Amino acid sequence: MEFKLCVPCLLGLEGPISDELRRLGLKNVAAENGRVYFTGDEEAIATANVCLRIGERILIEVGKFEALSFDELFEKTKALPWEMLIPKDGAFPVKGHSLNSKLFSVSDCQKIIKKAIVERLKSRYGIEWFAETGALYQVQFSIMKDQVSLCIDTTGAGLHKRGYRPAHNAAPLKETLAAAMVNLSRYRGKGDFCDPFCGSGTIPIEAALIAKNRAPGLYRQFTAMDWKNFDRKVWDNVKDAARAREFNGEYHIVGSDIDPAAIQIARENAMRAGVGSIVHFEVADAMKFDRKTDRGVIVTNPPYGERIMEKQEAEALYKGFGQIYRNTENWQLYLLSSHTEFERSFGKQADKKRKLYNGMIKCDLFMYFNKK
């Protein structure tokens, strides 16, 4: 069966996700603000869940329509073919959000959508009560400017939950955003890679996974794997194919941080991710960075002056690291910051900038190509 599929994402990542989906051979890729659509069957759902590095989750869009009243929301929801996915014993809780719409009460929308689905399934299955003791079919709704999108989640825990980071230090960066930063730096395993503010190691670990071409979802479970109407063998085949595409080579990936406790956590995370042997972590002060390279890329997420350090401390850090960076050779720099005066503090205007969001924090990825 062909489905319309949706990948919700952080603003600014629609382009990289679209590129990823196309490289995976998926069809009819189209980006909108905060989400990317594509079409495909069960194999496409499995491929996207197992292999996608940057998106948040994979949703099946059951229907999309305008609703200006609760009656309209009920009737149009009830008209959708929910029985094509949800079996008699399926659990189908409802959650979602509403923005800039006449139907602004999320709790009321939840109740109406749930009731409409129940009425639809009652008429199709000829039963009055749904125990919901089977597999999970999480219903998600999004109402924006009166446009309703109704989906079923195939993923479960978000795609950033790779499974290697049960422990982390303060202000963690989501794995999906770290992967996006590495992706935008065009690092693919050649040359040197370094994160001098590595914290719990997320950026170097994602760089290692990219260098090895290891699918990020290879060793985790997804909600749709338990669905009766989906073939578990499809998922096994997708994972086997992903393993066959892995690379084995010599890589030069380094993560450093001034905090010894963070480095210990980073090493443990790398071991859990299966890349402990190809990522080197060390305690080091970024203000003394002097690594030599013929071809290298620095991808990093230093403190913003919001959650860890005060603003003036962050500015001093940026100024010091800017001086260090300008004395390096052959290192490109991709640095994420929310600081509005970053370039002034750093002492050099970026060659290129890209707007990204770290959670709800609006940031820029500042790109320096070290052209002396």
Side-chain angles (χ1 to χ4, degrees):
M1 182 186 297
E2 189 91 340
F3 300 101
K4 184 176 182 181
L5 303 164
C6 173
V7 185
C9 63
L10 295 170
L11 290 171
L13 297 183
E14 298 90 349
I17 290 172
S18 297
D19 292 341
E20 264 202 289
L21 292 170
R22 292 187 183 101
R23 282 197 299 272
L24 291 170
L26 300 173
K27 301 182 295 183
N28 301 318
V29 176
E32 295 183 4
N33 283 340
R35 54 183 54 202
V36 180
Y37 288 96
F38 66 104
T39 60
D41 55 10
E42 183 184 347
E43 183 178 353
I45 292 171
T47 298
N49 272 301
V50 171
C51 300
L52 196 64
R53 298 186 188 280
I54 305 176
E56 293 302 304
R57 57 185 62 252
I58 311 301
L59 307 175
I60 297 173
E61 188 171 83
V62 183
K64 195 172 187 177
F65 52 80
E66 182 182 64
L68 303 176
S69 69
F70 288 128
D71 284 343
E72 195 173 11
L73 177 64
F74 177 86
E75 293 300 335
K76 289 183 176 179
T77 299
K78 184 181 174 184
L80 296 174
W82 296 100
E83 69 280 1
M84 298 295 288
L85 285 168
I86 303 174
K88 290 180 181 180
D89 66 344
F92 51 101
V94 177
K95 64 180 180 181
H97 62 270
S98 177
L99 294 171
N100 302 322
S101 299
K102 289 183 173 59
L103 305 180
F104 57 84
S105 171
V106 171
S107 60
D108 286 337
C109 291
Q110 280 179 298
K111 292 172 187 174
I112 288 164
I113 290 168
K114 178 75 174 186
K115 183 179 179 182
I117 297 172
V118 167
E119 291 302 313
R120 171 77 184 202
L121 296 181
K122 280 167 65 175
S123 68
R124 291 303 184 270
Y125 291 137
I127 56 178
E128 289 296 316
W129 175 255
F130 294 90
E132 299 192 47
T133 55
L136 176 65
Y137 296 78
Q138 177 68 59
V139 177
Q140 292 200 4
F141 69 87
S142 169
I143 308 177
M144 296 189 69
K145 297 181 179 178
D146 302 319
Q147 295 297 314
V148 181
S149 172
L150 293 174
C151 299
I152 293 179
D153 178 24
T154 72
T155 302
L159 291 177
H160 69 280
K161 297 282 189 181
R162 315 284 208 227
Y164 65 73
R165 200 177 69 174
H168 53 73
N169 63 345
L173 188 73
K174 264 190 177 181
E175 293 88 331
T176 42
L177 181 54
M181 291 167 63
V182 176
N183 180 285
L184 290 166
S185 79
R186 301 189 183 281
Y187 175 74
R188 300 293 184 270
K190 294 182 179 179
D192 296 313
F193 183 97
C194 186
D195 177 2
F197 301 93
C198 75
S200 56
T202 307
I203 292 174
I205 290 170
E206 290 297 322
L209 294 173
I210 287 172
K212 287 183 67 64
N213 198 37
R214 175 171 292 166
L218 203 56
Y219 300 107
R220 59 159 288 182
Q221 293 293 111
F222 300 97
T223 298
M225 293 173 75
D226 295 326
W227 292 0
K228 290 180 180 177
N229 44 350
F230 276 20
D231 185 354
R232 181 62 181 259
K233 289 182 181 178
V234 171
W235 293 82
D236 294 338
N237 292 339
V238 165
K239 290 190 174 187
D240 287 343
R243 288 188 188 94
R245 292 194 296 269
E246 279 195 21
F247 303 142
N248 290 298
E250 183 178 340
Y251 308 106
H252 301 95
I253 303 171
V254 176
S256 62
D257 199 280
I258 200 168
D259 181 2
I263 290 299
Q264 182 58 35
I265 291 171
R267 288 175 178 147
E268 292 168 1
N269 289 343
M271 292 297 291
R272 277 187 289 266
V275 295
S277 63
I278 66 169
V279 184
H280 174 68
F281 288 106
E282 62 186 29
V283 178
D285 186 349
M287 296 302 104
K288 298 177 181 178
F289 183 90
D290 62 353
R291 290 184 175 279
K292 308 300 181 190
T293 186
D294 293 324
R295 175 188 176 186
V297 59
I298 299 168
V299 181
T300 193
N301 176 46
Y304 298 161
E306 295 189 25
R307 293 181 293 183
I308 297 179
M309 300 171 63
E310 295 299 323
K311 190 172 182 180
Q312 289 182 340
E313 289 180 295
E315 288 178 357
L317 183 149
Y318 294 152
K319 181 179 179 180
F321 189 63
Q323 292 170 345
I324 293 292
Y325 176 70
R326 288 192 295 279
N327 289 326
T328 66
E329 293 183 356
N330 306 319
W331 284 103
Q332 293 191 354
L333 172 64
Y334 293 76
L335 186 150
L336 187 71
S337 177
S338 67
H339 202 298
T340 55
E341 296 295 318
F342 170 80
E343 288 168 298
R344 177 187 59 78
S345 301
F346 192 75
K348 191 175 190 296
Q349 190 171 8
D351 295 308
K352 190 176 179 181
K353 291 189 291 187
R354 188 184 189 109
K355 291 193 185 305
L356 296 174
Y357 279 79
N358 184 3
M360 298 301 293
I361 302 173
K362 184 178 179 181
C363 301
D364 283 292
L365 184 63
F366 296 92
M367 309 179 195
Y368 294 88
F369 304 138
N370 204 341
K371 296 172 184 175
K372 296 276 186 178

